[in-house]
Amino acid sequence: MTPQTDPQAGAAVKAADRAHVFHSWSAQELIDPLAVAGAEGSYFWDYDGNRYLDFTSGLVFTNIGYQHPKVVAAIQEQAATLTTFAPAFAVESRSEAARLIAERTPGDLDKIFFTNGGADAIEHAVRMARIHTGRPKVLSAYRSYHGGTQQAVNITGDPRRWPSDSGSAGVVHFWAPFLYRSRFYAETEQQECERALEHLETTIAFEGPGTIAAIVLETIPGTAGIMVPPRGYLAGVRELCDKYGIVFVLDEVMAGFGRTGEWFAADLFEVTPDLMTFAKGVNSGYVPLGGVAISGKIAETFGKRPYPGGLTYSGHPLACAAAVATINVMAEEGVVANAAVVGAQVIEPGLRELARRHPSVGEVRGVGMFWALELVKNRETREPLVPYNAAGEANAPMAAFGAAAKANGLWPFINMNRTHVVPPCTITEAEAKEGLAALDAALSAADEYTQ
Ligand SMILES: Cc1ncc(COP(=O)(O)O)c(C=O)c1O
């Protein structure tokens, strides 16, 4: 795992990237992507001999770390046996992946529609809900991310929606609970929960219950800030959905497959949605794969009537073989329990200790291997360290934090005024401590901007 230095090769990779690769969500001339030479477990490295502990799990998908030998071998074996096959056939790796997923999803979410990733899983979940109910609208939360395709980005509640929001997607946004920045003037979790549910029911009433096909929520909002909902909130949403005949869609694309120390975040709250989307951790992102887990009653809607949707690569054998191997590795190696234990015994106390010493930390929140630090200018006023959606000079404090983390060998997840601690669920206690020490140094850089 010692990185070999080869700056010339790195320069060639970088040059071709800069000449020809068009990157996601970016002003192409303003970015400077790191050329990556390799990765293993919780680390990756560049061509200049710099190694980084990855506290981002890529984009929160390498739940079993990089290059797990059993999953790499399963992909190689599947490639040698049957690399690809059309979706209309029954194929061993697809059948087995669906069986293993259905075995773990809550309640009767027993039918699996495979997609290529998370956004298209959301697209299909919404299409199923609209046809099942015969209603047009979708309710979703501000402070959410559901993907980059047209419908999914309109359901999203962050600034990435704005440039693509035609205003005609049939989506209405509401406020989900978030006590630290309460929209409801709440002072306790219970107040926040009750008032957020009341706000949601009022939104439903004023939108017209008979017009709403689905409520789409991340079980724990991820990119938007890892706001663990108060006890009772999701159960309350479930009740509202039942009362008004609305399909409840939980998006577990980021929170699923071990991230929270449970197979699914829904297990933490003992709630069963009607549809559940997944991607990322299902095969640790080794080969693109996502999907929708479908309840009995929605599956029934499409029993005799065709489901009007599909993908050339739905249930791609290579991606499904990676899912089978990943799920088996997670079960055999206790990866979900590791996320819970290292999260509770090392990450959480470590982050709380950092918060005590660093005035830039406004709040620590999360569960399992899914944590956020809310960075603020001032703890009393809770003013964010950088303004909402800041860019350029206005974002200097977070840029300084990021640079200090990297200088200390840590690759941090940064979104607006937050850093998320989302390493692989396989992380060891020693690696977690190494990351916390680097965070300590990086937070000192952020402290410089506090008032
Ligand atoms: C909760 C959630 N839903 C959907 C998506 C979209 O997934 P993908 O990028 O695979 O389309 C993401 C991606 O970050 C996500 O976090």
Side-chain angles (χ1 to χ4, degrees):
M1 200 162 76
T2 315
Q4 303 288 313
T5 56
D6 190 349
Q8 233 182 334
V13 170
K14 181 74 160 277
D17 177 284
R18 298 293 54 223
H20 303 296
V21 178
F22 194 93
H23 285 261
S24 309
W25 307 116
S26 302
Q28 304 301 311
E29 291 173 19
L30 303 183
I31 55 174
D32 183 25
L34 182 78
V36 174
E40 195 178 321
S42 304
Y43 295 88
F44 67 90
W45 51 88
D46 64 16
Y47 289 87
D48 297 324
N50 301 305
R51 194 175 77 132
Y52 298 97
L53 175 60
D54 185 3
F55 258 27
T56 72
S57 298
L59 283 175
V60 201
F61 58 77
T62 54
N63 290 6
I64 58 163
Y66 293 103
Q67 298 296 115
H68 193 294
K70 285 190 179 158
V71 179
V72 171
I75 294 168
Q76 287 168 335
E77 200 182 311
Q78 184 69 40
T81 314
L82 187 67
T83 311
T84 190
F85 217 85
F89 295 81
V91 172
E92 187 188 359
S93 69
R94 184 183 300 146
S95 304
E96 181 62 359
R99 189 186 72 78
L100 289 173
I101 295 165
E103 213 172 74
R104 286 166 174 79
T105 48
D108 70 336
L109 299 172
D110 289 336
K111 287 270 175 24
I112 309 298
F113 178 70
F114 285 112
T115 63
N116 300 328
D120 45 346
I122 288 288
E123 298 282 335
H124 285 281
V126 167
R127 189 178 301 177
M128 287 175 193
R130 283 185 167 140
I131 295 168
H132 178 74
T133 59
R135 301 172 179 179
K137 276 189 222 160
V138 177
L139 300 194
S140 65
Y142 289 114
R143 302 190 197 279
S144 67
Y145 182 70
H146 295 287
T149 53
Q150 194 58 34
Q151 180 70 65
V153 87
N154 273 272
I155 291 170
T156 286
D158 85 8
R160 280 175 284 184
R161 178 180 88 248
W162 303 342
S164 303
D165 191 346
S166 56
S168 62
V171 180
V172 175
H173 287 88
F174 63 94
W175 294 103
F178 178 24
L179 184 59
Y180 186 72
R181 299 198 182 282
S182 175
R183 306 307 306 164
F184 309 111
Y185 306 99
E187 286 170 359
T188 65
E189 287 280 333
Q190 200 189 338
Q191 280 176 354
E192 183 73 1
C193 181
E194 287 166 8
R195 293 175 194 184
L197 284 171
E198 200 223 335
H199 158 71
L200 177 56
E201 187 159 20
T202 308
T203 307
I204 293 169
F206 277 72
E207 286 298 327
T211 70
I212 302 165
I215 295 176
V216 179
L217 281 175
E218 290 169 82
T219 313
I220 298 176
T223 312
I226 315 190
M227 292 83 75
V228 180
R231 286 254 132 234
Y233 180 72
L234 292 171
V237 177
R238 174 73 273 177
E239 275 177 31
L240 290 176
C241 286
D242 291 341
K243 184 168 165 185
Y244 295 110
I246 297 168
V247 171
F248 189 14
V249 181
L250 277 180
D251 182 349
E252 292 252 357
V253 166
M254 189 178 278
F257 289 97
R259 180 58 45 198
T260 65
E262 296 279 354
W263 278 98
F264 294 100
D267 301 335
L268 287 171
F269 305 99
E270 291 167 8
V271 63
T272 303
D274 302 303
L275 296 169
M276 193 163 90
T277 54
F278 63 86
K280 297 188 189 261
V282 63
N283 63 10
S284 255
Y286 281 30
V287 185
L289 183 68
V292 188
I294 306 165
S295 63
K297 70 177 188 227
I298 295 184
E300 226 173 79
T301 294
F302 302 108
K304 299 278 187 297
R305 158 188 189 177
Y307 172 61
L311 306 99
T312 297
Y313 304 130
S314 177
H316 193 285
L318 209 54
C320 287
V324 169
T326 298
I327 294 168
N328 286 334
V329 158
M330 289 178 75
E332 287 158 15
E333 299 181 9
V335 173
V336 181
N338 188 69
V341 170
V342 178
Q345 296 181 1
V346 185
I347 298 280
E348 178 171 10
L351 293 178
R352 297 211 183 280
E353 197 270 328
L354 289 177
R356 274 193 289 280
R357 285 190 291 106
H358 291 282
S360 57
V361 180
E363 188 181 54
V364 174
R365 54 178 183 262
V367 64
M369 216 38 79
F370 204 32
W371 290 88
L373 299 186
E374 181 98 13
L375 303 190
V376 292
K377 270 196 185 144
N378 182 302
R379 274 188 180 164
E380 295 301 312
T381 63
R382 300 186 177 181
E383 182 185 349
L385 193 65
V386 295
Y388 190 72
N389 206 26
E393 201 35 47
N395 199 42
M398 292 309 293
F401 165 83
K406 288 171 195 172
N408 282 278
L410 180 78
W411 200 267
F413 185 106
I414 295 175
N415 184 276
M416 298 199 195
N417 68 313
R418 287 169 276 104
T419 187
H420 294 183
V421 174
V422 285
C425 301
T426 45
I427 194 168
T428 64
E429 193 176 319
E431 290 168 348
K433 286 183 173 159
E434 179 189 323
L436 289 165
L439 261 187
D440 194 0
L443 287 170
S444 296
D447 291 344
E448 298 287 317
Y449 295 88
T450 56
Q451 293 161 356

